[in-house]
Amino acid sequence: PRVAMTGDVTAESLATFVSANRLPSVVEFSDETAPTIFGGDIKSHFLVFSDSTSETNKAVLATFRKVSKGVAGKMICVFVDTNKGDNGRILEFFGIKKEMGD
């Protein structure tokens, strides 16, 4: 989706705008996205853990996307697919078991 900058354009406001909008409103966690998610200027993260194959996942993500628009630039919204084996380490880090469900 297209995002338009409003207000006065200064070097600082432009840098803030680009930083806040360089990622999609919800970023899917992976080994490739982890450095961008956790290594950027925004240090607050909202993580949602859900199984992408579950019946409720579509509704969960739709709600998460709506919420993410209200926190853009303040927090990075991250979807962690509990069904992906590669995400085992992050699930373990947060003490989440795949069996916990949505």
Side-chain angles (χ1 to χ4, degrees):
R2 183 179 172 164
V3 181
M5 182 176 170
T6 58
D8 293 336
V9 179
T10 64
E12 184 178 340
S13 68
L14 185 58
T16 300
F17 176 80
V18 170
S19 177
N21 293 287
R22 69 187 175 109
L23 294 172
S25 61
V26 173
V27 181
E28 184 170 352
F29 180 84
S30 69
D31 288 340
E32 292 79 32
T33 60
T36 304
I37 293 167
F38 298 114
D41 294 335
I42 300 173
K43 299 301 180 192
S44 295
H45 304 91
F46 182 174
L47 283 78
V48 167
F49 296 83
S50 180
D51 182 338
S52 63
T53 64
S54 79
E55 292 178 18
T56 60
N57 186 66
K58 189 173 183 177
V60 167
L61 282 179
T63 301
F64 193 34
R65 285 191 178 93
K66 287 179 189 174
V67 170
S68 72
K69 290 176 173 55
V71 297
K74 300 173 196 139
M75 171 179 303
I76 297 176
C77 295
V78 183
F79 166 67
V80 182
D81 186 351
T82 60
N83 193 47
K84 287 189 176 175
D86 291 348
N87 290 339
R89 289 185 309 165
I90 194 166
L91 295 176
E92 184 178 323
F93 179 82
F94 285 103
I96 295 173
K97 296 186 184 333
K98 183 180 176 189
E99 301 79 33
M100 290 176 148
D102 284 338

